[in-house]
């Protein structure tokens, strides 16, 4: 083979490699990634992690705060691409119509070992309130109130269903809907005075994880108890945007990392800044999340993330 032919062959090979690399990312329609954040501290930090990494990879994450119910509708109507906070089994009834019709897809499990359900202080449990059946006879001691989070959340809907079911003997109770922070403030103030309080608890959570509380038993059918958190997306997202889809499939968290970040957010720090600081301090955690993933335009994901976090 003469030199001209060799140069032509090499040039053609380089061009093919370049084209393959350029095609390894996602189409232009996938550059903006629309995420829902329901305002829960755990979802704020996991969404912050995803947003920082997507930005480093050349995507343009756009985070909108919505309730769970509105998030599911937005996913169905293609107004949101991805949601990292599908708590199961508590959101089973809310999600099922969408998965049954195929308008929402489950991308993957992102957290195991979580918990979710009504809790009471340990001293209340020691006084005999250990299950749902124990609440009714003690309605007066609780002031007739069960404290929940924001209106429209699956947890609140499950609590309302329990209160409205005559079989549970909770006629003397009402659900007080509030923010996560408002609910915790009420619980902490009541517990400080050794008062009786029942509220919606969950882990991971740096505050509730340290509080002397007991989960009420026998509520599995109501969607409470041991929980897992899933990533869900609008129909067709992972096939239309396979590179971003691979990233979201890779994203898996643990209680320790979420608790650490959540603690800082609850003390007033910005979730996105907290997530970026955590990523800088834990570079090895990033490697499995970007395995098999490129930048938006097909470049080296690890190099791009390293460069972004150096700033």
């Amino acid at each position: 083979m003469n030199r001209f032919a060799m140069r032509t062959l090499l040039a053609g090979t380089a061009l093919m490699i370049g084209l393959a690399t350029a095609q390894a990312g996602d189409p232009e329609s996938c550059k903006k990634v629309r995420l829902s954040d329901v305002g829960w501290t755990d979802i704020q930090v996991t969404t912050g992690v995803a947003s920082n990494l997507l930005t480093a990879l050349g995507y343009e994450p756009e985070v909108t705060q919505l309730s769970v119910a509105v998030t599911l509708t937005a996913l169905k109507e293609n107004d949101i691409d991805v949601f990292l906070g599908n708590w199961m089994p508590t959101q089973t009834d809310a999600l099922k119509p969408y998965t049954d019709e195929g308008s929402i897809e489950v991308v993957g499990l992102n957290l195991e070992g979580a918990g979710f359900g009504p809790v009471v202080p340990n001293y209340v449990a020691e006084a005999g309130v250990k299950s749902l059946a124990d609440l009714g006879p003690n309605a007066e001691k609780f002031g007739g109130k069960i404290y929940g989070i924001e209106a429209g959340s699956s947890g609140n809907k499950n609590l309302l269903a329990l209160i409205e079911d005559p079989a549970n003997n909770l006629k003397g109770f009402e659900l007080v809907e509030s923010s996560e922070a408002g609910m915790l403030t009420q619980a902490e103030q009541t517990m400080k005075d050794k008062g009786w309080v029942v509220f919606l608890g969950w882990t991971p959570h740096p505050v509730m994880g340290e509080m002397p509380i007991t989960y009420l038993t026998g509520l599995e059918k109501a969607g409470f108890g041991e929980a897992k958190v899933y990533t869900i997306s609008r129909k067709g997202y992972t096939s239309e945007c396979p590179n971003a889809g691979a990233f979201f499939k890779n994203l898996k968290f643990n209680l320790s990392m979420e608790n650490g970040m959540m603690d800082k957010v609850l003390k007033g720090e910005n979730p996105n800044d907290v997530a970026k600081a955590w990523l800088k301090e834990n570079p090895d955690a990033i490697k499995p999340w970007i395995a098999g993933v490129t930048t938006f335009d097909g470049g080296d994901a690890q190099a791009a993330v390293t460069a972004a976090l150096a700033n």
Side-chain angles (χ1 to χ4, degrees):
M1 183 180 294
N2 61 40
R3 291 181 179 178
F4 176 78
M6 177 62 75
R7 285 197 299 271
T8 301
L9 176 62
L10 291 174
T13 302
L15 178 62
M16 290 176 65
I17 292 173
L19 288 172
T21 301
Q23 294 172 353
D26 277 331
E28 188 65 29
S29 59
C30 298
K31 189 162 190 176
K32 179 183 287 186
V33 183
R34 301 166 301 171
L35 298 154
S36 173
D37 171 7
V38 290
W40 304 337
T41 315
D42 60 319
I43 307 307
Q44 287 180 324
V45 297
T46 56
T47 301
V49 166
S51 296
N52 274 283
L53 292 176
L54 287 167
T55 299
L57 295 173
Y59 290 86
E60 296 174 354
E62 178 181 270
V63 180
T64 305
Q65 187 163 323
L66 305 168
S67 68
V68 172
V70 176
T71 293
L72 297 179
T73 300
L75 286 166
K76 174 181 178 176
E77 296 179 353
N78 292 339
D79 293 326
I80 291 291
D81 297 312
V82 178
F83 176 46
L84 299 176
N86 173 220
W87 276 72
M88 298 295 274
T90 190
Q91 291 177 20
T92 299
D93 290 343
L95 181 66
K96 191 174 186 299
Y98 299 97
T99 52
D100 283 351
E101 69 183 12
S103 61
I104 292 178
E105 299 175 356
V106 178
V107 175
L109 176 67
N110 70 50
L111 179 70
E112 294 185 87
F116 191 49
V119 298
V120 296
N122 287 349
Y123 55 82
V124 173
E126 290 165 3
V129 180
K130 298 180 179 179
S131 70
L132 185 70
D134 300 321
L135 290 180
N138 294 286
E140 188 174 341
K141 291 183 180 179
F142 287 106
K145 293 179 172 59
I146 298 176
Y147 293 91
I149 48 177
E150 80 280 353
S153 69
S154 296
N156 280 17
K157 288 181 178 179
N158 290 358
L159 288 174
L160 281 169
L162 291 174
I163 292 171
E164 293 169 358
D165 186 346
N168 294 323
N169 192 28
L170 296 175
K171 186 177 180 180
F173 281 93
E174 66 172 326
L175 177 65
V176 179
E177 297 183 307
S178 179
S179 64
E180 174 189 336
M183 180 190 71
L184 283 174
T185 297
Q186 178 65 49
E188 289 175 323
Q189 289 176 347
T190 305
M191 291 171 68
K192 184 178 180 181
D193 297 327
K194 294 295 180 182
W196 283 39
V197 62
V198 55
F199 61 98
L200 190 61
W202 64 88
T203 49
H205 198 285
V207 175
M208 285 185 271
E210 298 298 321
M211 292 173 78
I213 54 178
T214 299
Y215 282 87
L216 297 181
T217 61
L219 291 168
E220 290 76 15
K221 290 183 179 179
F224 294 127
E226 183 179 350
K228 295 180 179 180
V229 185
Y230 291 83
T231 301
I232 56 177
S233 74
R234 63 173 175 80
K235 178 182 179 180
Y237 178 73
T238 57
S239 57
E240 293 169 22
C241 307
N243 188 62
F247 167 72
F248 283 112
K249 289 176 183 178
N250 287 347
L251 272 186
K252 297 186 186 301
F253 310 103
N254 61 55
L255 295 177
S256 178
M257 69 169 65
E258 290 195 25
N259 280 339
M261 287 186 281
M262 290 167 70
D263 183 52
K264 294 182 179 180
V265 173
L266 289 169
K267 290 177 179 176
E269 296 187 39
N270 178 275
N272 210 56
D273 294 340
V274 168
K276 186 171 185 178
W278 189 92
L279 290 168
K280 287 184 176 183
E281 295 167 2
N282 298 273
D284 288 343
I286 301 170
K287 294 178 181 178
W289 295 340
I290 58 174
V293 174
T294 70
T295 60
F296 170 72
D297 58 4
D300 187 316
Q302 184 63 65
V305 169
T306 300
L309 294 178
N311 297 326

